[in-house]
């Protein structure tokens, strides 16, 4: 039985092909779709057979079936229609207009092309419609249309089904033109067992009941790429708000977790209102839904109007939840409204979303250190910047490798440079033009540069933004700037970063040179100046007297190497004039110093810088200083002077004698102490790692006993997770705390271990087994990698 809608019953008059699909592989050089036919609109009808609701499951349980009618425009005459399909069974197909008929179709697994061969040519400029009936199984691998689950009100497991299509997995569910450039409108209708909730990108238009099934027709979407289509069917409830402009926002979660979505709802309202003003473009869909799912390969997915979040990135009130919500909302403009032409330029999506997240976070959290938050992305990017280019000139990223992390970290670091080169206000003006001129279409990086260039007041000899961007995004790696003082003059030279993989040396367009914006700060002056070090020059002489710090505020995505004598001067300057230099500047100097072993005394120089920073209350900076001390001690050849040993001792004593909350009164509440001491969670987390002592953990446990809100309790658990994992396991296993479900789901590994242990011995274990430190570190590393992939 099929659950079609009355208004599509005319389907029966169409003559359908009886051909069976032929599965065979062909040698097709390019995996890109031909551009002779474009989709204009998809009409999709899907029935999902999900057990557990008001429907007696039969052999169709855990499957879906449906059909799609695609309106097509013929751009070049052709006798073939080629689109994507993979793993879904094609049941039937036919053309609904023109005099042409499908004579047979063929699926080629290599490129996932579904080719329909026609009996006569479709002429250029004509329109036609193709009808394709299909069915498939709900998957288990977090791709396409897959199964996830939730906990029912009586503790039972309930199956839910949800889609994840980015990058190239829409074709796993629905035959479609599955490349970002083939934008079309999508009209979706869903049939699902009564009792379940059905969601998709568009707002619901009408719903009716047919036996045990509910059928809902949703309003047609705006023009969008296939990877942004989304469908959810399952057991959820929601809370709702409206923006000042009247946009309906709902956050859906399973019934047991619906009390923990208020924060996400508030952040999304604020952010949508903020972004609408900032970009000058209203959110174009009629509603915005978020849905929390337990199983997801990503933290969240920005489907237009139906953002799917993994439960751990939407429940509760952590800064991480805010970050992910803001990131996905940035995509509603950067990615959904204006989309990259192809996957090799996905950094335009992810770089901007990451960059805009920092802006969103700094408006919501007044404590945040806006500049300092970028240095983490720079360091993440540099650690991975060996093989992939941001803007692959080949087909290196055809979508099949997903979205590598470098697109987020280096993408946002490069955009940060653009901002500082042309000015924040100019960047914003350029972005507004870029978004409004390219709405509902696709772009390449040159379109972005074109918009920004209009607001860039550059001198004649300065590189154009396109030229600047080409060498930073087409080349892997980044430059190192060497600073030397010769006869009182400051001379800079640039060399490529030493760890660049030779595999990509073949890309020679820029010869591993870069147009480098040199930001520098003279000793004793607050102003940060900029001068271009273009790639055609062998060296750059800075016309300034006295010492200076290069890459001040860490605006640039490059490393700097100084001479030993310069480090002595910088350390003295940091000691004597500390307030003159930002934490980002200090962090940059500290990071750069350990990367290179050019000088005999670099370990001594490193300790001088560490010593100059030991009184900082920026715990991220102190954590890096601590890492430098650890590295210095590890160097086997290191035989420290008395002065070196004294500096190490001074630094370590400060850590041993201090605690993370030493600035707080004994009776101070957790919230007040947290807000007064730390800039953001990452800062507090660094403090937990630095001061892993009893005083710090005792204070946390004391607060945990008296705190009443779940949000504060969760934050304390998060802090324990940073530096006190043994205590965390103990606390999480303590039933007297009566942890809500979302917290238990957030730290699943601890609970799974406990449950397994209980099942093994059939009783409460007397002593608990712990992970060793190394496996725990690996666990955290694995998870932190996953977290950045949203
Ligand atoms: Zn993203």
């Amino acid at each position: 039985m099929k659950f079609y809608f009355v208004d599509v019953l005319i389907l029966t008059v169409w003559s359908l092909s009886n051909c069976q699909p032929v599965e065979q592989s062909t040698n097709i050089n390019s995996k890109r779709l031909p551009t002779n036919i474009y989709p204009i609109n998809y009409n999709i009808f899907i029935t999902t057979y999900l057990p557990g609701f008001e429907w007696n499951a039969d052999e169709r349980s855990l499957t879906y079936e449906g059909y799609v009618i695609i309106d097509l425009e013929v751009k070049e005459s052709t006798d073939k229609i080629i689109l994507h399909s993979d793993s879904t069974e094609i049941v039937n197909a036919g053309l609904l207009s023109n005099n042409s008929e499908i004579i047979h179709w063929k699926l080629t697994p290599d490129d996932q092309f579904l080719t329909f061969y026609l009996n006569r040519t479709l002429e250029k400029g004509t329109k036609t419609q193709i009808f394709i009936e299909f069915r498939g199984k709900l998957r288990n691998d977090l791709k396409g249309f897959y199964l996830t689950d939730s906990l029912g009100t009586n503790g039972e497991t309930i199956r839910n089904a949800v889609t994840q299509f980015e990058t190239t997995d829409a074709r796993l569910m629905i035959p479609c033109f599955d490349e970002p450039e083939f934008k079309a409108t999508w009209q979706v209708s869903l049939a699902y067992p009564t009792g379940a909730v059905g969601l998709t990108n568009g707002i619901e238009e009408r719903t009716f009941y047919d036996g045990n099934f509910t059928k809902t027709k949703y309003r047609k979407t705006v023009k969008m790429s296939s990877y942004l289509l989304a469908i959810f069917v399952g057991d959820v409830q929601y809370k709702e708000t409206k923006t000042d402009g009247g946009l309906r926002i709902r956050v859906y979660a399973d019934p047991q977790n619906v009390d923990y979505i208020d924060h996400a709802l508030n952040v999304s309202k604020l952010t949508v209102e903020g972004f609408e003003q900032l970009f000058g473009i209203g959110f174009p869909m009629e509603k915005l839904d978020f849905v929390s799912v337990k199983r997801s390969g990503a933290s969240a997915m920005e489907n237009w109007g139906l953002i799917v979040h993994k439960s751990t990135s939407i429940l509760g009130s952590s800064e991480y939840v805010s970050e992910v919500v803001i990131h996905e909302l940035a995509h509603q403009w950067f990615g959904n409204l204006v989309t990259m032409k192809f996957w090799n330029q996905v950094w335009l999506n992810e770089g901007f979303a990451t960059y805009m997240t920092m802006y969103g976070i700094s408006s919501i959290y007044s404590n945040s250190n806006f500049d300092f938050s970028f240095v983490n992305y720079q360091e993440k990017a540099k650690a991975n910047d060996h093989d992939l280019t941001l803007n692959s000139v080949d087909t290196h990223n055809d979508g099949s490798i997903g979205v590598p992390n470098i697109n987020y970290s280096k993408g946002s670091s490069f955009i940060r440079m653009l901002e500082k080169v042309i000015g924040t206000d100019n960047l914003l003006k350029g972005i507004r033009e870029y978004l409004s001129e390219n709405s509902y279409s696709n772009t390449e990086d040159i379109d972005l540069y074109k918009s920004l260039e209009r607001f860039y007041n550059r001198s004649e000899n300065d590189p154009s933004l396109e030229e600047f961007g080409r060498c930073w995004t087409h080349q892997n790696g980044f430059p190192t700037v060497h600073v030397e003082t010769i006869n009182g003059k400051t001379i800079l030279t640039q060399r490529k970063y030493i760890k660049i993989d030779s595999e990509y040396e073949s890309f020679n367009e820029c010869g591993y040179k870069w147009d480098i914006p040199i930001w520098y700060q003279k000793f004793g002056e607050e102003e940060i100046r900029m001068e271009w070090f273009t790639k055609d020059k062998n060296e750059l002489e800075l016309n300034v007297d006295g010492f200076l710090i290069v890459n001040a505020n860490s605006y640039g995505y490059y490393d700097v190497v100084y001479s030993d004598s310069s480090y002595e001067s910088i350390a003295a300057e940091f000691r004597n004039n500390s307030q003159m230099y930002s934490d980002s500047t200090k962090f940059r100097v500290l990071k750069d110093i350990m990367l290179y072993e050019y000088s005999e005394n670099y370990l001594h120089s490193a300790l001088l810088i560490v010593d100059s920073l030991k009184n900082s209350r920026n715990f991220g900076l102190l954590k890096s200083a601590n890492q430098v001390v650890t590295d210095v001690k590890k160097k086997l050849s290191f035989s420290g002077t008395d002065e070196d040993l004294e500096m190490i001792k001074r630094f370590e004593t400060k850590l041993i004698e201090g605690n993370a909350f030493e600035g707080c009164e004994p009776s101070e509440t957790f919230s007040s102490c947290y807000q007064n001491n730390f800039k953001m969670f990452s800062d507090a987390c660094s403090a937990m790692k630095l001061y892993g002592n009893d005083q710090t953990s005792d204070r946390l446990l004391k607060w945990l006993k008296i705190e009443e809100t779940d949000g504060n309790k969760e934050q304390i658990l998060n802090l324990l997770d940073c530096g006190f994992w043994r205590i965390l396991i103990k606390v999480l296993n303590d039933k007297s705390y009566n942890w809500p479900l979302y917290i238990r789901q957030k730290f699943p590994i601890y609970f799974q271990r406990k449950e397994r242990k209980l099942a093994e011995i059939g009783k409460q274990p007397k002593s608990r087994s712990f992970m060793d430190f190394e496996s725990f570190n690996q666990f955290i590393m694995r998870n932190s990698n996953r977290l950045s992939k949203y």
Side-chain angles (χ1 to χ4, degrees):
M1 187 198 258
K2 292 181 172 71
F3 296 92
Y4 295 154
F5 290 87
V6 180
D7 54 359
V8 295
L9 284 179
I10 46 162
L11 268 178
T12 47
V13 301
W14 298 326
S15 73
L16 303 174
S17 163
N18 288 322
C19 295
Q20 291 304 305
V22 185
E23 295 218 1
Q24 73 178 58
S25 174
T26 54
N27 288 322
I28 292 176
N29 293 329
S30 166
K31 289 187 175 181
R32 300 288 295 272
L33 285 176
T35 51
N36 50 11
I37 287 197
Y38 271 81
I40 301 164
N41 178 60
Y42 293 82
N43 257 295
I44 300 173
F45 308 87
I46 303 276
T47 303
T48 307
Y49 297 101
L50 208 54
F53 300 93
E54 290 175 35
W55 167 66
N56 291 326
D58 56 25
E59 70 283 357
R60 293 170 302 177
S61 183
L62 302 181
T63 70
Y64 62 91
E65 61 183 14
Y67 58 84
V68 58
I69 301 162
I70 314 173
D71 298 344
L72 299 167
E73 191 175 346
V74 183
K75 302 271 188 189
E76 297 295 333
S77 301
T78 177
D79 58 358
K80 288 195 282 284
I81 298 172
I82 303 178
L83 43 80
H84 285 112
S85 181
D86 184 17
S87 303
T88 297
E89 184 190 348
I90 306 299
V91 180
N92 223 330
L95 280 193
L96 306 182
S97 50
N98 296 80
N99 296 320
S100 304
E101 277 179 26
I102 293 170
I103 41 179
H104 73 104
W105 72 77
K106 185 170 74 179
L107 192 65
T108 45
D110 275 0
D111 46 28
Q112 296 129 31
F113 281 178
L114 174 61
T115 306
F116 294 96
Y117 296 88
L118 312 179
N119 66 339
R120 69 180 68 182
T121 300
L122 296 170
E123 296 302 330
K124 178 180 175 179
T126 57
K127 289 186 176 164
T128 188
Q129 283 183 310
I130 189 168
F131 161 85
I132 309 167
E133 190 182 355
F134 55 88
R135 64 182 165 222
K137 284 182 184 161
L138 292 169
R139 302 171 68 95
N140 272 307
D141 58 0
L142 314 181
K143 292 175 178 175
F145 199 21
Y146 72 89
L147 281 165
T148 175
D149 51 65
S150 58
L151 210 55
T153 32
N154 299 320
E156 72 280 24
T157 299
I158 297 190
R159 312 307 298 267
N160 299 314
V162 68
T163 54
Q164 168 59 41
F165 289 165
E166 192 182 16
T167 42
T168 55
D169 292 335
R171 66 193 72 171
L172 288 176
M173 181 185 182
I174 295 164
C176 60
F177 294 78
D178 198 12
E179 283 182 21
E181 207 177 342
F182 289 77
K183 287 192 173 184
T185 51
W186 303 74
Q187 166 108 58
V188 178
S189 300
L190 299 177
Y192 45 90
T194 298
V197 172
L199 301 170
T200 182
N201 310 71
I203 197 166
E204 61 282 352
E205 194 173 298
R206 60 194 163 98
T207 295
F208 60 95
Y209 300 95
D210 180 3
N212 295 327
F213 275 75
T214 302
K215 298 170 186 172
T216 305
K217 187 177 180 185
Y218 305 84
R219 202 85 52 85
K220 191 187 277 186
T221 69
V222 293
K223 220 171 134 191
M224 66 179 199
S225 307
S226 53
Y227 78 94
L228 294 170
L229 181 70
I231 291 167
F232 171 88
V233 176
D235 182 31
V236 282
Q237 295 175 357
Y238 67 87
K239 288 191 180 182
E240 184 179 308
T241 186
K242 271 206 165 82
T243 64
D244 289 348
L247 176 71
R248 187 190 87 185
I249 302 178
R250 285 178 179 174
V251 179
Y252 288 82
D254 54 291
Q256 298 233 17
N257 282 322
V258 78
D259 286 337
Y260 305 105
I261 57 180
D262 295 337
H263 177 71
L265 199 62
N266 291 338
V267 170
S268 61
K269 173 179 148 61
L270 278 176
T271 308
V272 168
E273 288 168 357
F275 281 168
E276 283 183 333
Q277 273 196 350
L278 197 67
F279 305 139
I281 299 174
F283 183 82
M285 306 281 258
E286 290 162 288
K287 59 91 178 170
L288 172 62
D289 291 336
F290 292 79
V291 63
S292 160
V293 301
K294 193 170 148 199
R295 296 179 68 228
S296 167
S299 301
M301 175 62 210
E302 67 261 25
N303 316 299
W304 216 348
L306 177 53
I307 299 173
V308 176
H309 273 245
K310 195 172 185 171
S311 54
T312 47
S313 69
I314 197 160
L315 303 174
S317 54
S318 65
E319 287 159 24
Y320 173 61
V321 167
S322 314
E323 241 179 69
V324 183
V325 167
I326 297 169
H327 179 104
E328 303 312 325
L329 287 174
H331 274 311
Q332 307 299 303
W333 285 264
F334 292 100
N336 300 7
L337 182 66
V338 179
T339 315
M340 72 275 143
K341 277 207 164 119
F342 197 56
W343 295 110
N344 62 334
Q345 295 209 328
V346 69
W347 73 270
L348 286 170
N349 276 14
E350 298 303 348
F352 261 112
T354 306
Y355 171 83
M356 288 314 304
T357 302
M358 294 302 128
Y359 274 87
I361 285 287
S362 65
S363 8
I364 289 177
Y365 299 94
S366 52
N367 267 8
S368 68
N369 185 338
F370 181 72
D371 277 331
F372 197 75
S373 52
F374 278 97
V375 298
N376 287 322
Y377 284 106
Q378 286 177 341
E379 292 313 300
K380 252 189 215 169
K382 282 177 181 167
N384 292 306
D385 197 358
H386 305 312
D387 42 14
L388 286 174
T389 69
L390 254 191
N391 193 353
S392 307
V393 283
D394 51 15
T395 53
H396 201 76
N397 189 359
D398 60 2
S400 58
I401 57 170
V403 184
N405 278 341
I406 189 104
N407 290 280
Y408 302 77
S409 50
K410 189 176 180 181
S412 56
S413 303
F414 173 65
I415 292 164
R416 175 82 167 145
M417 282 204 287
L418 278 175
E419 175 199 338
K420 291 299 163 188
V421 166
I422 73 172
T424 310
D425 285 350
N426 288 335
L427 182 88
L428 253 177
K429 286 178 193 159
I431 283 175
R432 283 187 202 130
E433 285 219 0
Y434 169 74
L435 289 173
S436 79
E437 283 175 9
N438 299 295
S439 289
Y440 305 105
S441 68
N442 299 70
T443 55
E444 292 177 297
D445 53 2
I446 47 170
D447 301 304
L448 174 69
Y449 303 138
K450 216 162 56 189
S451 299
L452 297 182
E453 194 78 45
R454 289 178 207 145
F455 301 95
Y456 176 32
N457 309 314
R458 69 183 160 93
S459 317
E460 204 181 317
N461 294 329
D462 294 344
S464 69
L465 294 179
E466 186 186 338
E467 184 61 17
F468 170 54
R470 203 164 55 93
C471 300
W472 283 93
T473 61
H474 284 245
Q475 287 185 125
N476 60 330
F478 52 90
T480 301
V481 175
H482 292 249
V483 186
E484 281 171 288
T485 311
I486 303 168
N487 298 331
K489 292 176 179 169
T490 303
I491 310 283
L492 310 185
T493 49
Q494 66 161 296
R495 303 173 201 172
K496 75 175 181 178
Y497 175 53
I498 47 176
K499 282 185 188 163
I500 284 175
D501 198 312
S502 57
E503 192 188 332
Y504 287 86
E505 295 261 6
S506 57
F507 178 78
N508 258 333
E509 207 178 320
C510 301
Y512 280 116
K513 287 284 183 73
W514 290 262
D515 292 315
I516 311 173
I518 299 290
W519 285 281
Y520 62 94
Q521 185 176 4
K522 276 180 68 181
F523 279 14
E525 285 186 8
E526 276 185 23
E527 188 190 356
I528 295 176
R529 303 162 201 239
M530 197 276 255
E531 204 162 312
W532 280 106
F533 185 176
T534 49
K535 58 182 173 299
D536 55 330
K537 286 184 190 159
N538 289 326
E539 59 178 45
L540 174 74
E541 185 186 329
L542 289 177
N543 194 17
V544 286
D545 298 328
F547 286 111
L548 47 86
I549 294 175
V550 174
N551 204 2
N553 235 6
S554 203
Y555 288 151
Y557 181 67
Y558 51 87
D559 290 336
V560 183
V561 174
Y562 304 87
S563 64
D564 283 326
S565 61
S566 298
Y567 279 123
E568 274 181 36
S569 309
I570 293 171
E573 184 68 5
F574 281 172
R575 260 198 314 273
N576 302 329
N577 257 330
S578 178
Q579 75 293 344
M580 197 76 89
Y581 303 93
S582 72
D583 286 341
S584 311
T585 300
K586 292 168 183 166
F587 181 88
R588 187 73 272 132
V589 172
L590 191 63
K591 274 285 166 192
D592 286 342
I593 199 166
M594 289 303 283
L595 291 171
Y596 301 94
E597 302 182 10
Y598 290 122
S599 76
E600 233 173 82
N601 286 325
Y602 82 102
L603 294 174
H604 174 72
S605 300
L607 288 176
L608 283 175
I609 299 293
V610 166
D611 196 53
S612 73
L613 302 177
K614 64 180 181 301
N615 294 324
S616 171
R617 290 298 283 172
N618 180 320
F619 299 102
L621 186 61
L622 282 181
K623 196 173 133 232
S624 291
N626 191 39
Q627 188 57 51
V628 168
V629 170
T630 309
D631 291 348
V632 168
K633 283 162 74 181
K634 261 191 214 157
K635 298 281 174 186
L636 293 176
S637 60
F638 178 64
S639 54
T641 61
D642 286 350
E643 190 195 353
D644 293 338
L645 297 176
E646 184 54 36
M647 285 192 285
I648 292 175
K649 200 176 153 197
R650 269 206 298 268
F651 185 81
E652 290 187 333
T653 308
K654 260 193 103 64
L655 293 189
I656 293 165
E657 289 178 352
N659 74 76
F661 307 107
E662 63 192 51
C664 306
E665 298 296 322
S667 59
E668 203 166 343
T669 63
F670 171 71
S671 304
S672 150
C673 177
Y674 183 86
Q675 277 162 25
N676 291 334
N677 261 273
F678 307 115
K679 292 185 174 58
M680 290 287 287
F681 178 72
S682 59
D683 195 40
C685 187
S686 298
M688 298 306 123
K689 285 175 179 154
L690 280 172
Y691 301 99
N693 52 29
D694 291 348
Q695 287 153 284
T696 302
S697 60
D698 287 351
R699 192 81 200 258
L700 284 172
L701 288 172
K702 217 168 116 190
W703 275 317
L704 194 60
K705 289 211 171 72
I706 55 170
E707 272 307 325
E708 286 180 354
T709 68
D710 285 328
N712 280 343
K713 281 185 188 167
E714 183 197 353
Q715 192 71 319
I716 294 170
L717 291 181
N718 286 334
L719 292 178
L720 287 173
D721 197 19
C722 291
F724 307 95
W725 59 278
R726 282 176 191 272
I727 298 173
L728 176 71
I729 296 171
K730 235 181 192 169
V731 167
L732 285 171
N733 284 334
D734 186 338
K735 285 221 159 108
S736 65
Y737 283 102
N738 196 19
W739 301 112
L741 180 67
Y742 88 95
I743 285 182
R744 280 184 281 138
Q745 284 177 341
K746 192 172 164 173
F747 301 94
I749 190 148
Y750 308 110
F751 288 92
Q752 278 163 14
R753 285 179 65 85
K754 175 156 186 280
E755 279 159 19
R756 210 165 40 235
K757 189 90 186 164
L758 284 172
E760 275 168 21
I761 60 172
K763 59 176 183 178
Q764 181 77 26
K766 276 183 187 152
S767 62
R768 300 188 175 96
S769 70
F770 299 116
M771 259 189 260
D772 62 64
F773 196 65
E774 207 182 339
S775 0
F776 179 74
N777 265 340
Q778 282 164 4
F779 157 73
I780 293 297
M781 295 257 297
R782 271 202 309 278
N783 281 282
S784 63
N785 284 344
R786 273 220 314 275
L787 293 182
S788 60
K789 284 183 188 168
Y790 48 77

